[in-house]
Amino acid sequence: MARASATRLSVLVRHNALLMFREPGPLLSRLVLPLVFLTLLRPLYVAAQGRTEGTEQAVVSTLVTFSLLALSISGSAILTERLGRTWDRLRATPLHPAEILAGKSLPVLAALLTQQLLIIITGIHLFALSVPHPFLLLAVLLAWSCTLLALGALLGVLARTMGELSAAFDIGGMLLSSLGGALVPLSALPGWVASIAPVSPGYWAAQGLRAAFSGDPTTVLTTCAVLLAMATTFAALASVRLRGRSGRMVAL
């Protein structure tokens, strides 16, 4: 059974990767725009916080904000199946809902990690970003990417139209990034924002990234645990939405 599941999963991963590369526009925009954002806005952060802290803030701001906006890649992969009338074909196969989600998520995971690593590499080579603890940073990036995948999948099974999905990503992404203290440090925002900031996944991503840059393994471990708990919750809700009483996928 495990081998059959792995075979089905590999087919889905290849299929969804092919679909992503056939329409590369959204992916390319999510890879290029963050680098432009980082280059243009870094001087503002440096002027306000100094070279080292300003560069770190620019990288954190860019990474969290644009990875949240990249949720569109994950959610669209599911919603496109529904709008294209191919969802019923998937329902007729032996595929488990978890296999559907994983098959669509793994190519997106690769895209998200590529986006984030490009931002980090640009910060290192162009702006002298210091990354003394790369394994701590990688742990945060992986936990954050899992959270993004699960949240994108949940929105993909809940939205009814591309318009709804786009609004959820654009508004929700900027809101979660701003409330999390990624775009602007929480110390510069009203006190009520800081009190509700932990509700946002972006808050934990920003905290984890800053802790990874400074070499604080305790904070990195805490933020990764919270992010993975959020990812598990989002994924469970998406899976429940996909399953009927019989355990088979339902029409959406």
Side-chain angles (χ1 to χ4, degrees):
M1 182 177 293
R3 180 176 297 180
S5 178
T7 301
R8 293 194 298 266
L9 181 58
S10 66
V11 171
L12 276 175
V13 169
R14 290 196 300 270
H15 172 69
N16 286 289
L18 180 61
L19 291 177
M20 184 186 299
F21 289 126
R22 281 182 174 175
E23 294 290 342
L27 177 60
L28 288 176
S29 70
R30 295 300 184 239
L31 295 178
V32 174
L33 286 178
L35 305 184
V36 176
F37 183 91
L38 174 61
T39 302
L40 294 180
L41 292 189
R42 174 181 169 271
L44 297 178
Y45 289 112
V46 170
Q49 297 178 273
R51 184 177 182 85
T52 300
E53 291 187 6
T55 299
E56 289 183 2
Q57 178 63 39
V59 169
V60 170
S61 172
T62 302
L63 193 151
V64 174
T65 300
F66 280 90
S67 57
L68 279 167
L69 293 176
L71 282 170
S72 58
I73 301 174
S74 175
S76 297
I78 295 176
L79 185 56
T80 299
E81 295 275 9
R82 296 165 54 195
L83 297 179
R85 306 283 184 180
T86 55
W87 188 256
D88 287 340
R89 296 181 185 179
L90 289 175
R91 293 174 59 211
T93 67
L95 291 167
H96 189 276
E99 293 173 346
I100 294 290
L101 293 177
K104 292 189 171 297
S105 296
L106 288 177
V108 180
L109 175 62
L112 286 172
L113 287 175
T114 299
Q115 178 201 55
Q116 295 168 24
L117 289 174
L118 278 176
I119 295 170
I120 297 295
I121 291 170
T122 300
I124 292 173
H125 290 286
L126 293 186
F127 307 121
L129 174 70
S130 177
V131 184
H133 307 280
F135 291 106
L136 292 180
L137 180 60
L138 182 60
V140 175
L141 294 182
L142 286 172
W144 176 230
S145 296
C146 289
T147 306
L148 292 170
L149 285 174
L151 180 57
L154 178 60
L155 292 176
V157 301
L158 292 177
R160 293 172 296 179
T161 66
M162 281 296 182
E164 286 186 4
L165 192 64
S166 178
F169 291 143
D170 292 341
I171 298 174
M174 293 302 297
L175 184 62
L176 292 177
S177 178
S178 301
L179 288 180
L183 282 174
V184 180
L186 290 175
S187 58
L189 295 174
W192 65 267
V193 176
S195 65
I196 66 173
V199 175
S200 168
Y203 167 83
W204 296 101
Q207 292 290 100
L209 290 169
R210 295 188 182 106
F213 289 138
S214 64
D216 182 356
T218 301
T219 302
V220 167
L221 181 61
T222 300
T223 55
C224 287
V226 174
L227 287 172
L228 291 175
M230 289 183 173
T232 301
T233 301
F234 296 146
L237 291 174
S239 183
V240 168
R241 178 71 178 90
L242 289 175
R243 298 176 63 179
R245 294 181 180 179
S246 64
R248 298 291 298 153
M249 286 191 295
V250 300
L252 292 175

